[in-house]
Amino acid sequence: MSRKVSSGLFLTGLSAILSIAGLIAYMVNTGTSYFASLGVSPVVAGCAAAAVVCQVVYLAAGLKGQPVWADILPVASSALMMVATITFLSVRVAGIASIMTFESNASNQADMTGAIVGIALCLVATVFSMVASFFDITKE
């Protein structure tokens, strides 16, 4: 019996790709001149990485036909990505406000743009992860 893939596979895959992109954007942003002093938040990096692992395991287990993980992993990845996004926003909001009001120069504007792009990527990954959790990976 062969299994056919459904839209959940594509949504989960896209969510995993966006989560990886958001994590990369965050790690790049922590190395910028303005935000380097804040360091890397273990909550953002850990939750985003754990969300990606959950999505990859869900894809692998779902394609092999193991439905035990079908209820746990999509919800876990959505929750982890939500925590990562909210924490990313909370550690950058004061810096973004400071750049927009008092410390506006070209370098800081570029650092702020990178932070906003990273937050947007994480937010879109979170939304895709939530939507993907409503769909099955395979249909029989």
Side-chain angles (χ1 to χ4, degrees):
M1 176 172 75
S2 67
R3 295 180 176 267
K4 296 180 182 179
V5 295
S6 71
S7 58
L9 175 76
F10 300 110
L11 287 173
T12 304
L14 184 59
S15 174
I17 291 169
L18 288 169
S19 298
I20 291 169
L23 179 60
I24 290 171
Y26 172 71
M27 296 307 287
V28 167
N29 188 251
T30 59
T32 60
S33 63
Y34 190 83
F35 294 111
S37 63
L38 296 176
V40 177
S41 170
V43 175
V44 177
C47 286
V52 170
V53 169
C54 284
Q55 291 166 346
V56 169
V57 169
Y58 175 59
L59 286 171
L63 289 176
K64 290 183 180 180
Q66 299 173 351
V68 129
W69 301 102
D71 294 333
I72 300 168
L73 289 175
V75 175
S77 68
S78 297
L80 287 166
M81 208 54 217
M82 178 67 76
V83 170
T85 302
I86 291 171
T87 307
F88 188 7
L89 179 64
S90 70
V91 297
R92 292 295 186 256
V93 72
I96 290 171
S98 179
I99 290 170
M100 291 178 75
T101 55
F102 302 114
E103 302 174 355
S104 183
N105 62 38
S107 174
N108 292 347
Q109 289 285 337
D111 296 348
M112 180 186 71
T113 302
I116 291 172
V117 167
I119 291 167
L121 280 170
C122 286
L123 183 62
V124 171
T126 302
V127 170
F128 271 91
S129 179
M130 287 179 184
V131 171
S133 66
F134 288 100
F135 295 95
D136 290 329
I137 289 180
T138 60
K139 53 187 173 183
E140 296 185 35

